[in-house]
Amino acid sequence: MPSTVNKTAHAFDKVRLDALLNRRFFYAPAFEIYGGVAGLYDYGPPGSSLQANIIAEWRKHFIIEEHMLELDTTIMTPAPVFETSGHVARFADWMVKDTKTGDVLRADHLVKNVLEARLAGDKEARGLAAAPVTDDKKKKKKGAKAAAVQLSDEVVKEYETILAQLDNFSGPELGELCRKHKLTNPDTGNEVGEPQQFNLMFLSSIGPTGQHPGYLRPETAQGHFLNFSRLLEFNNGKVPFASAQIGRSFRNEISPRAGLLRVREFTMAEIEHYVDPEDKRHERFHEVRDVVLILLDRHVQEAGSSTTTRLTVGEAVKKGVIANETLGYFIARIYLFLLKIGINPERLRFRQHMGNEMAHYATDCWDAEIHNATGWTECVGCADRAAYDLSVHTAKTGHPLVVRQALKEPIITEKEVSEWNKKNLGKTFKQDAALIQSLVESMDEPELLRIKGELAQGAAIIKSEDGREFQLTPDVLTVERKTIKQSIREYTPNVIEPSFGLGRILYTLLEHSFWSREQDVERGVLSLPPLVAPTKVLIVPLSARDEFNPLVQEVSSKLRKAGVFSRVDDSNTSIGKRYARNDELGTPFGLTLDFASVQNRTMTLRERDTMDQRIGSIDDVITTVTELVFGNIDWAQACTRLPAYDGVQAID
């Protein structure tokens, strides 16, 4: 049987994790030798591989399994697109400025950080929590940690209520909170000014003259919507269907201070699922009906609480907590994906947006929030965008982004219909003819009946938006009641949008995977699942002597042909140090080649977390480790295949 491991012997230490990630170059500040720019990061070899593996699994889990249509649309976007979508007017956060230094802070983050620090100080004063270890130099520089001051029970309750409702506050309300609770810049202790809106899009220009303004996209979604007609045609005119895209997006964050959790350039993976607004059922809903989720709905938050509820997706949809089957289906699929790549299910919840925080395009939205050292962080949003985007782009361009569905049974109705004498219309009204025709065509049934009655009396008067009046006579217009047979239903589909911030998922996964060996706190381990681990197998020859080269090449070649990514570490350090180094890189399995391997063609297999070692023939070990990497067997099953290695091999 495999050994057991105590991964909680030492408390989580973010400083140790950050040092490991920096030392092993998972990621680092971009342009570092020039001083760096806040919110911009470069990924090193292990970070790039980890992200690529997460993306590869995302494509399998969503695009391939759901038969989605994949896109790759442009980053640079003409300004009219975002003017129409509402981003130019409303894609903004509230910021406040330090009244003396001019430093800029995001208003809701200021409220959150200061109130949480005060609550932490209250717990410390009550003896409910130990004082965290701090770096004195850093403490003096930042001044962000509140002193251990006990608060009254009423103030504690008020602070907790504010934090529960924080995402629902408007800019002026955030300003009022800053004044009422004397919230100052934690770095300087200075007062802050009134909140102001700051648009998060990066403005640019297209072409040499600067006459065509554009923006770096803050999301990939608009590229999906503008190609809807082509996508619908590619899908043979059938709805529902989904498009998907993985690509870079840009947001000019006010004060990015949380590593990969808040950056200005990042990789997104977005899905736009188009569905009939009258039928939001999902044909595969039964497959996820029994998935249990931790939910925090809007009503609980608005009441000032953060108490979560465990519900199956089926129950949540039935009770109306989640609006419809399609939204519920994708929330469950998001949950299953995050668990598959290694997120701790007990540190994952779905929080519903409150009314004030809802994006301008959404009618309902749930965030997959993952708990980490900074608190709960939104990593995936799942929004019901209704028909907002397709409707506004249709209205702006005149291009109908609609579905035309052939009806099995025609719908027969009677309605008032305008009939024009085009010759008389043009002769009488000349350049205003098109305007008049448009005014009448846009009238509803009661207005057409009024016009019909007035025409029967000799003439009808209509008005344009600019106040001009036009007199219509029966020789120009008649209104008749006709029987209409409708064989085609035309509608604008609704959109369900899961949107993934891959950098945030990557960081929280690293945090959830990190622990230190019970016997040595300095020996950090990243327990990344083989599915996403940057390197799957480490090949460790006992020494760099030439006699090992043929075996190293053979093992490496066989793993490569099996589709298993491996690395060879033939450095001069001890095998133990080489394994410890790769434990920090999250490599799940190690293969050791020694003198017995050369003589007997045997090889040992080491598992990262338990450090257990098994032995077998080279071919048997390669077969076993390949099945481990692809998830066909687990370590317990591998232990039944290969005998334990006792540290001694017979050699002549």
Side-chain angles (χ1 to χ4, degrees):
M1 292 297 292
S3 305
T4 57
V5 181
N6 181 7
K7 296 184 179 181
T8 58
H10 305 285
F12 172 77
D13 188 337
K14 190 176 187 308
V15 173
R16 290 187 191 280
L17 173 61
D18 288 343
L20 182 155
L21 298 177
N22 184 64
R23 183 171 65 252
R24 297 303 176 204
F25 193 16
F26 274 83
Y27 62 89
F31 319 111
E32 191 170 21
I33 63 174
Y34 278 87
V37 178
L40 297 177
Y41 290 89
D42 293 332
Y43 286 13
S48 297
S49 294
L50 177 58
Q51 178 174 258
N53 293 339
I54 292 171
I55 289 172
E57 186 54 37
W58 190 90
R59 292 190 77 258
K60 290 176 188 174
H61 188 85
F62 291 105
I63 296 177
I64 294 173
E65 188 171 335
E66 307 282 353
H67 302 289
M68 295 178 175
L69 309 181
E70 190 166 10
L71 289 169
D72 185 3
T73 63
T74 64
I75 290 170
M76 179 61 73
T77 307
V81 172
F82 288 126
E83 290 167 359
T84 301
S85 69
H87 285 76
V88 171
R90 295 189 287 271
F91 195 75
D93 281 336
W94 292 96
M95 67 176 186
V96 290
K97 285 187 178 181
D98 185 306
T99 54
K100 293 183 179 178
T101 67
D103 290 346
V104 174
L105 304 109
R106 188 165 142 175
D108 57 336
H109 289 180
L110 171 65
V111 174
K112 176 179 182 289
N113 294 339
V114 174
L115 295 190
E116 285 183 345
R118 290 180 183 177
L119 288 172
D122 171 74
K123 283 187 176 181
E124 187 181 332
R126 293 171 186 246
L128 300 177
V133 178
T134 58
D135 183 324
D136 288 339
K137 291 180 182 178
K138 193 173 285 187
K139 183 177 176 182
K140 287 177 184 176
K141 181 181 177 183
K142 290 291 182 185
K145 181 183 177 295
V149 176
Q150 185 169 338
L151 307 171
S152 69
D153 292 344
E154 293 77 13
V155 170
V156 169
K157 177 61 178 173
E158 184 178 9
Y159 284 2
E160 289 174 345
T161 300
I162 291 169
L163 291 171
Q165 299 174 336
L166 185 59
D167 291 318
N168 206 33
F169 289 118
S170 66
E173 288 170 334
L174 291 170
E176 176 59 30
L177 288 173
C178 290
R179 290 191 297 274
K180 178 180 177 182
H181 298 286
K182 296 181 172 58
L183 307 184
T184 59
N185 182 351
D187 294 350
T188 64
N190 299 330
E191 292 183 358
V192 295
E194 285 300 304
Q196 300 171 4
Q197 276 200 317
F198 174 73
N199 192 286
L200 298 178
M201 291 194 296
F202 282 98
L203 178 64
S204 186
S205 61
I206 302 169
T209 63
Q211 293 179 339
H212 303 288
Y215 293 93
L216 300 183
R217 66 185 182 193
E219 60 177 21
T220 72
Q222 301 308 315
H224 296 247
F225 302 137
L226 299 185
N227 283 294
F228 173 75
S229 296
R230 292 181 181 275
L231 290 166
L232 181 64
E233 182 182 5
F234 188 88
N235 203 51
N236 300 319
K238 295 179 181 177
V239 170
F241 73 91
S243 55
Q245 181 170 190
I246 301 162
R248 289 292 212 185
S249 294
F250 303 81
R251 297 182 185 180
N252 196 10
E253 293 287 351
I254 293 169
S255 53
R257 301 181 178 189
L260 294 187
L261 297 180
R262 190 156 301 280
V263 294
R264 287 171 168 147
E265 178 181 347
F266 52 97
T267 301
M268 297 185 80
E270 289 194 302
I271 296 164
E272 309 299 338
H273 180 88
Y274 304 96
V275 63
D276 186 337
E278 296 179 4
D279 183 9
K280 291 189 177 180
R281 293 174 298 171
H282 196 285
E283 64 179 5
R284 295 181 61 190
F285 184 72
H286 64 279
E287 297 177 20
V288 302
R289 183 185 299 277
D290 296 327
V291 172
V292 178
L293 303 174
I294 299 174
L295 301 176
L296 177 57
D297 70 54
R298 64 163 68 103
H299 303 296
V300 170
Q301 297 170 77
E302 288 166 353
S305 174
S306 298
T307 304
T308 56
T309 305
R310 290 179 187 264
L311 283 177
T312 66
V313 178
E315 289 176 303
V317 171
K318 185 177 180 180
K319 293 179 178 180
V321 177
I322 296 175
N324 56 72
E325 281 190 8
T326 298
L327 190 60
Y329 176 78
F330 278 107
I331 289 173
R333 291 285 291 157
I334 291 165
Y335 173 83
L336 294 173
F337 169 74
L338 293 173
L339 262 59
K340 189 186 295 185
I341 64 170
I343 295 298
N344 182 345
E346 294 304 312
R347 300 177 70 186
L348 169 61
R349 73 181 186 187
F350 287 84
R351 186 185 68 82
Q352 188 177 29
H353 282 207
M354 293 171 280
N356 244 10
E357 66 171 313
M358 197 86 73
H360 63 273
Y361 49 72
T363 59
D364 193 14
C365 186
W366 291 80
D367 287 343
E369 294 187 332
I370 302 176
H371 190 262
N372 58 84
T374 69
W376 289 96
T377 299
E378 170 204 348
C379 294
V380 187
C382 194
D384 186 337
R385 297 179 77 127
Y388 174 83
D389 299 274
L390 297 178
S391 298
V392 296
H393 288 307
T394 294
K396 178 66 176 179
T397 65
H399 180 92
L401 300 172
V402 297
V403 176
R404 293 182 176 88
Q405 178 187 38
L407 298 173
K408 293 179 180 178
E409 296 290 335
I411 299 173
I412 298 174
T413 57
E414 287 190 349
K415 60 186 293 188
E416 301 296 333
V417 178
S418 56
E419 297 284 343
W420 297 93
N421 184 319
K422 297 288 183 66
K423 183 178 179 181
N424 289 345
L425 175 66
K427 184 189 295 184
T428 306
F429 295 102
K430 298 181 175 56
Q431 70 268 21
D432 291 323
L435 171 63
I436 292 167
Q437 192 171 356
S438 174
L439 290 170
V440 174
E441 300 293 347
S442 65
M443 290 180 176
D444 58 17
E445 189 91 352
E447 287 180 298
L448 283 173
L449 284 170
R450 176 185 67 80
I451 295 294
K452 184 177 182 179
E454 292 180 3
L455 287 170
Q457 301 298 317
I461 302 295
I462 64 170
K463 286 185 178 181
S464 64
E465 289 184 1
D466 59 7
R468 288 186 294 160
E469 292 188 350
F470 301 97
Q471 181 173 288
L472 304 177
T473 55
D475 65 322
V476 171
L477 170 68
T478 57
V479 179
E480 299 179 7
R481 191 161 193 82
K482 291 190 174 183
T483 299
I484 306 295
K485 182 179 179 181
Q486 183 184 350
S487 301
I488 301 291
R489 176 189 168 217
E490 185 175 284
Y491 66 89
T492 303
N494 279 197
V495 178
I496 307 297
E497 179 195 66
S499 177
F500 297 71
L502 295 180
R504 291 182 175 185
I505 293 171
L506 182 147
Y507 173 76
T508 54
L509 172 59
L510 289 168
E511 197 171 292
H512 287 198
S513 303
F514 178 70
W515 55 285
S516 293
R517 298 276 181 206
E518 184 174 4
Q519 63 275 24
D520 185 357
V521 71
E522 297 298 332
R523 289 190 62 183
V525 182
L526 286 175
S527 288
L528 295 169
L531 184 72
V532 295
T535 302
K536 315 301 184 186
V537 177
L538 179 72
I539 302 170
V540 187
L542 187 63
S543 79
R545 288 168 59 167
D546 291 344
E547 61 193 287
F548 286 101
N549 289 344
L551 273 185
V552 170
Q553 291 173 9
E554 177 189 343
V555 172
S556 182
S557 176
K558 287 181 175 179
L559 288 172
R560 187 164 57 249
K561 287 178 180 177
V564 175
F565 181 64
S566 64
R567 288 180 63 247
V568 177
D569 188 343
D570 57 3
S571 58
N572 292 325
T573 56
S574 68
I575 285 181
K577 287 184 177 179
R578 282 184 267 175
Y579 274 135
R581 184 163 59 206
N582 281 275
D583 289 346
E584 290 188 335
L585 290 166
T587 307
F589 305 109
L591 304 177
T592 304
L593 293 165
D594 56 17
F595 292 106
S597 304
V598 176
Q599 190 173 110
N600 303 331
R601 290 190 60 78
T602 56
M603 181 165 63
T604 60
L605 168 62
R606 175 190 186 266
E607 195 273 334
R608 174 196 59 215
D609 293 358
T610 62
M611 296 190 292
D612 282 350
Q613 293 194 63
R614 298 280 151 169
I615 189 168
S617 71
I618 287 176
D619 287 339
D620 285 349
V621 170
I622 287 176
T623 299
T624 300
V625 79
T626 299
E627 292 198 50
L628 284 166
V629 166
F630 290 116
N632 299 326
I633 62 172
D634 59 20
W635 183 245
Q637 291 170 299
C639 290
T640 65
R641 290 189 181 185
L642 301 172
Y645 175 56
D646 60 8
V648 178
Q649 289 198 65
I651 58 173
D652 295 334

